[in-house]
Amino acid sequence: MSLPHWQYFLSIEEDLLRCSRYVEFEKSNFSTYSVEFARIIVAASAEFDSVAKILCKAINPGANPQSINAYHPIITSKYPRFLEYTILVPSMKLEFQPWKEWTDSAGPGWWSKGYNKIKHERDKHFAAANLENALNSVAGLLTGIAYLYDATYGEIPKLNLASAPKLLEPHDNPDAPNQSAVWWSCEVWK
């Protein structure tokens, strides 16, 4: 089984983890911005865009969504708890629900005021290339991949320890009894 989106995610996550050597991953530093965070946000968000298109096709083969707003009703029709999916950064005691604010008419703030502003108007909105948006964009990508693999394979493929994330992991939520905080053995919320 080929997992190209997973390998790309691991590469992006590794770049984000490397940033923790220079900026402490804590809420007081969430507004810290940099070129490296811009690169991570753009890469993770663009990859989510690709993953979401494939996920939408897996859910509804006749669908041809072309924007973040068009993905929302398709994804949430099959996975109503997608917006609640929680990603942890256990080593830094941080928790994210990257898609919590997503609606049919607007992406979450890190997407619309972060990724889109960085992508289209970086000269005016460079401060949007910040730690908080970087963490949310990578967590958002991890969420998308989890659901893509569930839709494509009926489960998240078992991964060995070497292929496990080093920074992020899904939250072990009591409402999702089959989900483990250990990525390589977890199942997606339904």
Side-chain angles (χ1 to χ4, degrees), residues 24-40:
E24 185 69 24
F25 286 12
E26 62 177 50
K27 290 182 182 184
S28 64
N29 288 334
F30 275 6
S31 62
T32 302
Y33 56 94
S34 73
V35 170
E36 190 65 10
F37 291 145
R39 193 181 63 74
I40 289 166

Side-chain angles (χ1 to χ4, degrees), residues 133-150:
N133 288 337
L135 287 164
N136 271 300
S137 64
V138 179
L141 174 58
L142 177 56
T143 302
I145 291 171
Y147 282 92
L148 173 63
Y149 290 169
D150 182 75

Side-chain angles (χ1 to χ4, degrees), residues 115-130:
Y115 167 59
N116 278 336
K117 296 295 184 183
I118 295 163
K119 183 173 139 185
H120 297 294
E121 300 177 280
R122 192 171 308 132
D123 58 323
K124 295 177 189 168
H125 301 280
F126 190 64
N130 61 50

